[in-house]
Amino acid sequence: EEGGGASVVLSNELLDAFAPVKLRLSVFGQPDVTDCSVWQEMRLVHIMKESDLEMVTKALQHSQNRIETLLDDLRGYTSEMFCGIKNTTVGKAAAECSPHSSCLAIAFGLSELLGHSDLQLPAAAHNMRLRLRKDDLLCERLREVSSRLDGEMQDVVVLPRQVYQQLRHEFRDAPQVEVLFLA
């Protein structure tokens, strides 16, 4: 299928056991799927609305103090991680295109644009910086995507792998709470 990609479905148990990775097939030209260089590694990021995380952790009988500490830590992690990405040379070029977007929206927006095959985005950082500075269509698309993501990601925190795994481990004793988490 033109513009399509290949995907792999991993079970929650596999996601819990390993650092989750997803492979994306570059679909430009006639890719040889047996050639490793046509595949790009992508990391999965677990995000969650703060209110949903609070509801889940209350259901797991965490104390209010523990919940507030966890939320503070996750807010700090989210800001540090994604503002660090926005502070890279590519992130700075992206922020020039979309100056009112959050760090999280810029990072996720850039990631999403890599899947827009009509843009034919380069994998090399120096080429991406150049495209962001010179390509008005790319900047406009980034602004659109980042604006949408900012709306969708209000009060969202990123769950580092160890936090996600710890919560999933606690769900073994509370399957009814796991349903809330996965919904």
Side-chain angles (χ1 to χ4, degrees), residues 59-112:
L60 289 170
Q61 300 178 347
H62 290 203
S63 70
Q64 190 59 38
N65 187 45
R66 183 174 176 194
I67 293 169
E68 288 172 12
T69 300
L70 176 63
L71 284 170
D72 285 343
D73 289 346
L74 292 177
R75 285 182 200 116
Y77 174 81
T78 300
S79 177
E80 181 181 324
M81 175 66 71
F82 288 91
C83 289
I85 291 170
K86 188 176 175 181
N87 201 34
T88 66
T89 56
V90 172
K92 288 177 182 177
E96 289 174 16
C97 287
S98 190
H100 303 295
S101 296
S102 68
C103 298
L104 201 57
I106 289 285
F108 278 88
L110 286 170
S111 178
E112 184 174 318

Side-chain angles (χ1 to χ4, degrees), residues 20-37:
V21 173
K22 182 178 179 182
L23 297 178
R24 180 193 323 221
L25 175 64
S26 176
V27 292
F28 302 116
Q30 298 293 323
D32 174 8
V33 296
T34 62
D35 179 9
C36 291
S37 67

